[in-house]
Amino acid sequence: MSHTFDEWRAKAEALVFDGRPVIHGERVDALSGATVEKKNPATNQVVSQLHAGNEADVDAAVASARATYESGVWSRAGAGYRRERLLAFAEVLEAHADELALYDTIDMGKPVRESSTIDAPGSAALYRFYGEAIEKLEDRIPVTAPGSTALVTREPLGVVAVIVAWNYPLEIATWKIAPAIVAGNSVVIKPPIEASHSTLRLAELAAEAGIPAGVINVVPGRGSPVGKALALHEDVDMLAFTGSTEVAKQLQQYAGQSNMKRLALEAGGKSSNIIFADTDDLQAAAAKAAFGSFYNQGEICSANSRIFVERPVYDEFMRLYIEASKAYAPGDPLDPASGIGSLVSQSHADSVWATIENARRDGTIVAGGNRPEINGSQAFIEPTIVTDVPSDHEVHTREIFGPVAVVTPFDTEEEAITRANETPYGLAASVWTGSLARAHRVSQLLVAGTVSVNTVDALGFTTPFGGFKQSGFGRDLSIHALENYTDYKTTWMQWG
């Protein structure tokens, strides 16, 4: 159900913010005694005193998760039982979709039009996907010598730590939690300190769906101490992460320094979008390019922020792309008419703005490049299109995480592929062409976990999402995500 601007504001005013951790199904005060003042970046108004956990809080959450796992109330309950509980969880989340959407919008500035129609209902649907999937998976009985039988089963790992980024707080947490718990694990989540409330509320709602206490625990707080404590914890069996490449590398070190816990790391990206002159619909390519670079304020790890356009259509594409970017004008995130919302914080907006100023100095800004003040906040930035900068400029090389894109012409297919692969990342790429042969040829040569042809940033529940190179390893979404949270056990029986 859609709501008006006034209706969303009324719902936001009635929203209750509780920043306390959720451990063993209960809201508790952080043992650290510390809190962090949480502001709405779109208004600068304080909305919550978020409890900031420490090592003691992590120990309590991990102990809860371990006790629940060892009890077997969830881990050995059977796939049918876990299926029923995840389907019930999906229904509870759907009933609270507006509430969950508002938490993310108010915490990190994304338009409620998107959090309420995509993020919250999509998260509920993913719990349903994994709930339905778990009963359809089969173990194996491979060929063995006469007189023996071997059973090969997939077993849960135990206690799983989850650390997620702030750009899709509820949705990315769900990408990790849903496959982890449906496999039988218990989890401890460190939500982003910038946007913790939706995940905290999600853990509370799990009890309403009949998920046992201790299966989902949430400890808010900063990366150090909370994230570091999880990564170093000797009783955490696996850690799933979405965030920066820099932090992912640190987590690898912590895993090695502790118990060699398994890792699934979805790290940074600097994705390309290649538009060839034989593209069937240049206007569609331009519209999708604007979506791929400016949607969610450009705060997307797989944002197609490096655009390469074959020279014969460069001028026409630029005209269409600049026009398409106007649909992403910033505005109040609670206003359904806003194209994009605010960035996650003024400090992050300052960083993005510094990059824009460098691009203004070193190249040409052909659209945007402004920072309007809205609701007394300076966390809003217009979609900005940059040209005429060298290939080693930061707009080409750095994950900006803001509404900034750079466009460069190219002359040959080989040049486009080379430029697209000139990055330490390998998360996503897009190709626009009317040639099926070229689509296959170029897609094969692009080093990216997902290549979208004649669209951008394509993903779905049934396809794995993740990257190559310094974009990490492991996959979210699809049945393949269960591989992160389980491993094979062979039970060999000699009977003859």
Side-chain angles (χ1 to χ4, degrees):
M1 177 182 175
S2 61
H3 300 294
T4 66
F5 189 10
D6 287 340
E7 288 171 337
W8 279 120
R9 283 192 290 199
K11 283 177 172 285
E13 289 172 3
L15 201 62
V16 176
F17 286 82
D18 188 341
R20 293 176 297 163
V22 178
I23 298 178
H24 210 70
E26 302 274 341
R27 288 279 192 171
V28 297
D29 290 337
L31 296 172
S32 68
T35 60
V36 174
E37 189 175 78
K38 180 67 188 76
K39 292 183 178 181
N40 178 346
T43 64
N44 277 329
Q45 294 177 342
V46 176
V47 296
S48 170
Q49 294 296 324
L50 184 71
H51 286 226
N54 63 9
E55 294 87 347
D57 297 288
V58 169
D59 285 344
V62 172
S64 168
R66 176 60 65 188
T68 298
Y69 180 78
E70 296 295 341
S71 76
V73 66
W74 183 255
S75 58
R76 295 191 296 275
Y81 174 76
R82 294 199 296 270
R83 171 187 177 274
E84 291 174 2
R85 298 282 64 78
L86 259 70
L87 295 184
F89 197 19
E91 290 185 3
V92 171
L93 295 178
E94 285 171 339
H96 291 267
D98 283 357
E99 176 190 2
L100 294 167
L102 279 168
Y103 281 129
D104 279 359
T105 288
I106 293 171
D107 266 348
M108 56 77 59
K110 69 166 55 196
V112 74
R113 180 190 66 249
E114 294 158 7
S115 61
S116 65
T117 60
I118 298 173
D119 298 19
S123 296
L126 192 60
Y127 285 100
R128 182 173 289 112
F129 172 85
Y130 282 110
E132 292 287 7
I134 194 64
E135 280 193 319
K136 299 172 178 64
L137 301 179
E138 298 176 342
D139 293 325
R140 301 176 184 177
I141 303 178
V143 175
T144 55
S148 63
T149 300
L151 307 178
V152 179
T153 56
R154 276 250 174 213
E155 303 291 331
L157 299 177
V159 176
V160 172
V162 174
I163 302 175
V164 296
W166 46 255
N167 57 328
Y168 285 91
L170 177 67
E171 197 167 30
I172 294 178
T174 293
W175 287 11
K176 321 288 189 186
I177 298 169
I181 67 172
V182 80
N185 300 287
S186 297
V187 299
V188 178
I189 306 112
K190 190 206 88 66
I193 196 165
E194 299 87 349
S196 296
H197 293 99
S198 63
T199 305
L200 288 165
R201 183 65 174 131
L202 175 120
E204 265 191 327
L205 293 172
E208 292 187 22
I211 295 175
V215 173
I216 301 178
N217 306 274
V218 184
V219 181
R222 300 191 185 279
S224 180
V226 176
K228 181 177 180 179
L230 285 169
L232 287 169
H233 207 290
E234 297 285 347
D235 208 21
V236 169
D237 300 293
M238 185 270 172
L239 188 151
F241 170 77
T242 291
S244 72
T245 294
E246 179 184 8
V247 173
K249 291 179 178 180
Q250 187 67 62
L251 294 175
Q252 287 182 292
Q253 294 182 38
Y254 291 152
Q257 291 168 15
S258 55
N259 61 344
M260 288 181 62
K261 59 180 58 66
R262 296 158 189 244
L263 299 171
L265 307 175
E266 194 269 278
K270 191 67 178 175
S271 302
S272 62
N273 185 1
I274 303 173
I275 291 96
F276 287 99
D278 63 0
T279 299
D280 291 332
D281 189 340
L282 198 62
Q283 186 165 7
K288 280 290 189 178
F291 173 86
S293 48
F294 304 132
Y295 182 79
N296 203 51
Q297 304 77 240
E299 295 169 324
I300 302 178
C301 53
S302 53
N304 288 190
S305 58
R306 296 185 302 138
I307 303 172
F308 301 98
V309 185
E310 197 165 10
R311 201 174 298 276
V313 296
Y314 179 83
D315 290 341
E316 177 64 8
F317 173 84
M318 289 300 295
R319 183 186 68 79
L320 295 168
Y321 180 47
I322 291 169
E323 184 63 28
S325 72
K326 296 176 183 177
Y328 297 89
D332 191 312
L334 295 177
D335 186 351
S338 296
I340 57 175
S342 75
L343 274 67
V344 69
S345 66
Q346 176 149 339
S347 62
H348 181 59
D350 289 343
S351 173
V352 174
W353 185 247
T355 299
I356 291 173
E357 291 291 81
N358 289 341
R360 197 189 313 274
R361 179 196 64 210
D362 301 328
T364 304
I365 292 179
V366 298
N370 298 305
R371 188 178 182 179
E373 183 175 306
I374 299 172
N375 295 333
S377 169
Q378 292 186 328
F380 296 85
I381 292 180
E382 288 181 353
T384 300
I385 303 172
V386 179
T387 61
D388 305 324
V389 290
S391 61
D392 61 351
H393 195 278
E394 64 175 321
V395 294
H396 276 293
T397 61
R398 188 171 72 84
E399 187 178 32
I400 300 167
F401 238 57
V404 182
V406 57
V407 189
T408 306
F410 69 87
D411 295 300
T412 68
E413 182 179 300
E414 293 74 17
E415 178 191 0
I417 294 167
T418 298
R419 293 296 304 275
N421 286 335
E422 283 179 343
T423 171
Y425 306 111
L427 189 57
S430 297
V431 179
W432 290 81
T433 176
S435 165
L436 182 61
R438 170 174 274 164
H440 280 287
R441 184 172 61 246
V442 174
S443 296
Q444 186 179 48
L445 294 173
L446 290 172
V447 183
T450 299
V451 178
S452 303
V453 177
N454 293 335
T455 187
V456 298
D457 209 12
L459 58 80
F461 290 173
T462 59
T463 56
F465 178 82
F468 295 121
K469 300 195 288 188
Q470 293 187 45
S471 288
F473 49 84
R475 292 295 183 267
D476 290 316
L477 299 174
S478 80
I479 296 301
H480 298 283
L482 292 169
E483 297 168 10
N484 297 332
Y485 309 105
T486 60
D487 208 352
Y488 289 112
K489 174 188 281 187
T490 298
T491 302
W492 188 290
M493 291 178 283
Q494 198 71 35
W495 48 266

